[in-house]
Amino acid sequence: MPEVEKILETRELNVNMGPQHPATHGVLRLVLDIDGERIVNVKPVVGYLHRGVEKLGENRTYFSALPLSDRLDYISTMNNNVGYCVAVEKLLGIEAPERAKFIRTMVAEMNRISNHIIALATHILDIGATTPFLYSFREREWLLDLFEMLCGARLTVSYPRIGGVRNDVSQEFLDSLYKFTEEFPSRINEYETLITENRVWKKRTVGIGVISAEEAINWGLTGPTLRGSGVNYDVRKHAPYDAYDKVDFKVPLGKNGDCYDRYLCRIEELKQSNRIIKQCIEKLPKGPIMADVPKYVLPPKDNVLKDMEHLIHQFVLITKGPTAPEGEVYVSTEVPKGELGFYFVSDGTGRPYRMRVRSPSFIHVSVLPRLCAGHMVADVIANIGTIDIVLGECDR
Amino acid sequence: MKTAKEFLKTIFFIEILRGLALTLSRLFTHAVTRRYPKVKRPAQPGFRGLHALVRDRDTGKEKCVGCCLCAAYCPSQCIYIYTSEDEDHKKIVDRYEIEVLRCIFCGFCVEACPFGAISLTEHYEYSDYSRDAFYMTKERLLSNWDKYMAGQKGEGYFRKFWRPMSEDFGTPEKQATWRKIQNAK
Ligand code: SF4
Ligand code: SF4
């Protein structure tokens, strides 16, 4: 008899998912313990995309470390840039002029749209619907073209600067962006027609990956992933930076904290972002685009080309970096994925003594075991999609 | 308990049919894609593509004076400059090299240069079979300028970007603000 028992013995199976798996949104490796089709445990293994961004930042001046923030979350680069600049500005004790603030808010919301579009599209694609993916890339392309018109790059923009933005917006850009905001709500309707009521989609997302409000807070979730559980927390509302206190928008909340509610939150955020962009265009004031703080901000180019003082000043600033006062600062901003925090320790030189990035994706990955436990293997994909992670930011 | 309406919706696949109607209607609209190698998408002015060293129109040589500011600013440290002195103690740039494979096309070099001596062209199709092809020497950088930025284009380039001349954007009267578009949809 013991022989038979040995043969019939059931045990959990250990399966590797990733790091090269199309549905893990990058190089995420998950070790799944499965009992038949049920997930018993999920162990995320991160670090495959580690580039040492924090250390690299410490070897560069505050100016030169800016493009590193592009490479954290390469889908929402503009938001990362803005987050970096806001943090350094706080450290230096300077403030961007009004016009620059509005421009930054505007471009950050553009990128929020393009990020949410990708998050939804890939989430939906993973679950099995191809059409919304293709449709939403149409709008994303439009936004990327606008970025190119604005600053010459489509993805890694490096457009905001410490103390303002790199260049002013052109009339042509504003006009095309306004046209986009007029058009975009009808495009959102298209996605909604295809997906929101679709029974297959609902079967795959309603009641999957449920997390209660209290648990979500305890896990440290932020962004739409948290708001899907009904917690009203948005850095843009609670600690407004840039021009967010001057525009009117709502923070959409979910109820049940499942994949479907998080999806609805993201769709609603698309609409709100669209509203913010529109208001920013309409309210855009005239004025300078860079703070007038010669100690920390590069002089305008035409002055550099013309006279000696500015030229020397440019040399000193670029080679030494902005000599920040000693101290430390932590500033968090709302990026599409959640709350991105930059923490700087300054020792009074032009380079940060320590640069630490609090990236939402890293924290969201850690909640995967909790979300997946007890569900089917196929729902792991749905859960990865719904927490909206980018591994570049997670591994840094 | 489902209401009768919901029941009807379920058995007639209403939401699926509406989705299908949408995709069907898209059959009769224009394609948004491009046949890439045949139809190229024009780059916007100020696109951050391959590097070029500006050729001075008067002397026919590079404008660069070898001050190394671009190399100091470059976040990926991929610009190498070697200079020497000639008989009358003038600095000459012996070698100016950019390792394009390491460049991240941030455009900081253009922003830093106090002489307007380096630019990023609109050229972006430069794949090759060897890594040597991406090691840009001074001669190649200068020929890039002749190829992609000669004439009007090069002159207008520095105006558009890099916190430009006041004649373009700097004065408040000319700054862009919202205006009602007549035939927006
Ligand atoms: S574009 Fe940026 S990375 Fe490339 S050479 Fe210039 S400064 Fe360096
Ligand atoms: S390109 Fe400009 S910044 Fe670089 S060495 Fe030449 S003159 Fe100096």
Side-chain angles (χ1 to χ4, degrees):
Chain A
M1 275 325 259
E3 291 288 291
V4 179
E5 253 168 36
K6 214 172 201 176
I7 294 166
L8 292 181
E9 184 195 22
T10 59
R11 60 189 173 87
E12 285 156 17
L13 204 63
N14 204 267
V15 180
N16 263 314
M17 181 176 158
Q20 291 94 359
H21 191 285
T24 55
H25 295 206
V27 277
L28 170 67
R29 175 170 159 228
L30 297 174
V31 184
L32 313 176
D33 289 340
I34 50 178
D35 172 15
E37 270 286 301
R38 295 228 165 256
I39 303 283
V40 178
N41 194 14
V42 176
K43 210 165 41 166
V45 184
V46 297
Y48 286 89
L49 215 58
H50 178 69
R51 294 148 299 168
V53 165
E54 290 174 4
K55 190 69 202 164
L56 285 173
E58 288 158 22
N59 290 322
R60 275 156 183 73
T61 61
Y62 290 102
F63 293 137
S64 296
L66 173 74
L68 290 175
S69 63
D70 282 316
R71 272 101 195 141
L72 289 172
D73 175 0
Y74 36 77
I75 298 176
S76 48
T77 49
M78 207 61 106
N79 301 73
N80 287 321
N81 284 167
V82 169
Y84 178 86
C85 289
V86 171
V88 178
E89 275 165 20
K90 180 140 187 222
L91 177 69
L92 301 180
I94 60 178
E95 206 173 335
E98 205 70 343
R99 184 176 172 89
K101 281 186 173 178
F102 271 93
I103 295 177
R104 276 198 212 166
T105 311
M106 186 165 81
V107 291
E109 290 308 313
M110 281 165 73
N111 214 319
R112 194 179 306 276
I113 290 182
S114 97
N115 176 82
H116 277 351
I117 280 176
I118 290 223
L120 292 175
T122 48
H123 182 26
I124 294 165
L125 180 75
D126 291 344
I127 283 181
T130 329
T131 321
F133 177 77
L134 298 174
Y135 282 13
S136 50
F137 266 61
R138 185 183 53 188
E139 276 73 71
R140 178 168 184 260
E141 188 64 27
W142 193 345
L143 282 171
L144 294 189
D145 280 348
L146 283 173
F147 279 152
E148 189 187 325
M149 190 193 279
L150 180 66
C151 63
R154 293 158 58 80
L155 278 174
T156 48
V157 285
S158 300
Y159 172 67
R161 287 286 183 277
I162 296 160
V165 289
R166 195 188 84 196
N167 58 278
D168 206 347
V169 292
S170 64
Q171 191 68 51
E172 195 192 359
F173 171 82
L174 277 192
D175 289 351
S176 354
L177 183 58
Y178 198 77
K179 215 179 255 169
F180 174 84
T181 57
E182 304 259 285
E183 183 92 337
F184 191 55
S186 72
R187 304 292 175 91
I188 302 176
N189 280 346
E190 281 184 12
Y191 315 147
E192 290 220 78
T193 317
L194 287 170
I195 286 297
T196 306
E197 288 302 318
N198 190 306
R199 63 190 69 189
V200 184
W201 171 251
K202 274 185 143 172
K203 275 257 157 23
R204 289 298 304 274
T205 52
V206 176
I208 304 291
V210 184
I211 188 157
S212 69
E214 200 189 342
E215 256 183 303
I217 293 172
N218 288 348
W219 276 99
L221 303 186
T222 43
T225 320
L226 174 70
R227 294 194 283 271
S229 304
V231 184
N232 188 350
Y233 176 68
D234 188 324
V235 184
R236 292 174 294 170
K237 276 275 187 225
H238 290 87
Y241 54 97
D242 281 355
Y244 284 111
D245 48 351
K246 297 187 192 72
V247 290
D248 169 44
F249 65 100
K250 287 198 199 78
V251 180
L253 297 178
K255 265 203 235 65
N256 310 322
D258 57 1
C259 288
Y260 189 67
D261 274 22
R262 289 190 278 270
Y263 156 78
L264 290 181
C265 269
R266 293 214 167 89
I267 287 278
E268 190 54 38
E269 274 192 22
L270 285 179
K271 295 178 191 164
Q272 296 300 333
S273 293
N274 199 46
R275 271 184 62 204
I276 298 177
I277 297 177
K278 211 168 193 170
Q279 290 172 46
C280 281
I281 299 178
E282 283 165 7
K283 289 181 185 168
L284 189 64
K286 288 187 171 181
I289 52 162
M290 270 296 223
D292 188 16
V293 192
K295 196 174 166 204
Y296 296 134
V297 170
L298 292 185
K301 190 92 177 199
D302 44 349
N303 289 356
V304 173
L305 295 175
K306 267 190 295 215
D307 68 64
M308 199 64 198
E309 277 88 58
H310 286 104
L311 181 67
I312 295 172
H313 189 60
Q314 167 120 340
F315 264 87
V316 173
L317 260 188
I318 286 184
T319 44
K320 272 195 166 159
T323 42
E326 269 181 53
E328 42 193 278
V329 67
Y330 175 81
V331 176
S332 62
T333 50
E334 181 82 13
V335 297
K337 306 209 154 55
E339 181 183 330
L340 175 80
F342 277 98
Y343 174 65
F344 289 107
V345 180
S346 157
D347 56 356
T349 59
R351 289 151 209 257
Y353 175 75
R354 174 83 170 95
M355 169 172 142
R356 156 97 183 124
V357 186
R358 183 246 189 240
S359 58
S361 297
F362 181 64
I363 286 143
H364 289 181
V365 165
S366 69
V367 80
L368 262 181
R370 162 68 189 78
L371 287 183
C372 297
H375 286 305
M376 300 288 185
V377 173
D379 296 331
V380 175
I381 303 289
N383 283 328
I384 296 174
T386 189
I387 56 172
D388 186 15
I389 47 171
V390 151
L391 271 295
E393 187 185 48
C394 170
D395 300 343
R396 297 195 286 278
Chain B
M1 268 298 278
K2 276 185 182 171
T3 59
K5 207 170 153 200
E6 272 177 22
F7 180 70
L8 281 180
K9 265 190 189 167
T10 317
I11 59 166
F12 285 117
F13 291 89
I14 299 294
E15 86 284 354
I16 303 251
L17 286 180
R18 276 171 67 201
L20 286 176
L22 175 70
T23 42
L24 189 69
S25 72
R26 289 289 143 197
L27 259 186
F28 306 104
T29 56
H30 288 292
V32 291
T33 46
R34 229 177 256 111
R35 296 183 157 268
Y36 163 58
K38 286 187 201 134
V39 187
K40 297 217 168 74
R41 72 183 280 287
Q44 298 279 354
F47 184 82
R48 310 211 297 249
L50 193 63
H51 298 260
L53 267 180
V54 179
R55 194 188 283 280
D56 199 336
R57 252 189 310 160
D58 306 329
T59 60
K61 282 170 129 182
E62 75 277 0
K63 254 186 169 177
C64 171
V65 297
C67 67
C68 295
L69 201 54
C70 49
Y73 203 18
C74 177
S76 51
Q77 321 258 294
C78 63
I79 306 180
Y80 309 107
I81 304 164
Y82 302 88
T83 55
S84 61
E85 255 179 51
D86 65 3
E87 302 88 63
D88 33 301
H89 302 295
K90 231 179 131 235
K91 202 173 194 179
I92 42 171
V93 185
D94 296 326
R95 287 160 61 192
Y96 185 101
E97 291 161 358
I98 296 182
E99 205 177 333
V100 173
L101 284 177
R102 273 176 55 205
C103 170
I104 55 172
F105 298 99
C106 57
F108 278 15
C109 43
V110 187
E111 192 176 322
C113 180
F115 298 95
I118 186 157
S119 65
L120 293 171
T121 64
E122 291 165 19
H123 181 59
Y124 56 90
E125 298 159 306
Y126 42 84
S127 48
D128 208 299
Y129 289 104
S130 79
R131 297 176 76 92
D132 296 342
F134 300 104
Y135 199 82
M136 292 285 157
T137 55
K138 195 166 89 180
E139 287 67 42
R140 285 167 79 176
L141 287 167
L142 281 170
S143 76
N144 280 349
W145 176 264
D146 299 338
K147 258 192 254 167
Y148 310 115
M149 294 292 255
Q152 270 319 92
K153 222 181 205 172
E155 271 158 43
Y157 177 77
F158 288 98
R159 291 251 188 96
K160 171 123 173 68
F161 280 103
W162 325 113
R163 299 192 58 206
M165 309 286 185
S166 36
E167 72 222 45
D168 290 297
F169 293 125
T171 49
E173 303 85 57
K174 283 194 194 147
Q175 277 181 326
T177 45
W178 181 61
R179 62 174 186 209
K180 207 150 188 70
I181 316 163
Q182 278 81 26
N183 31 17
K185 271 185 229 165

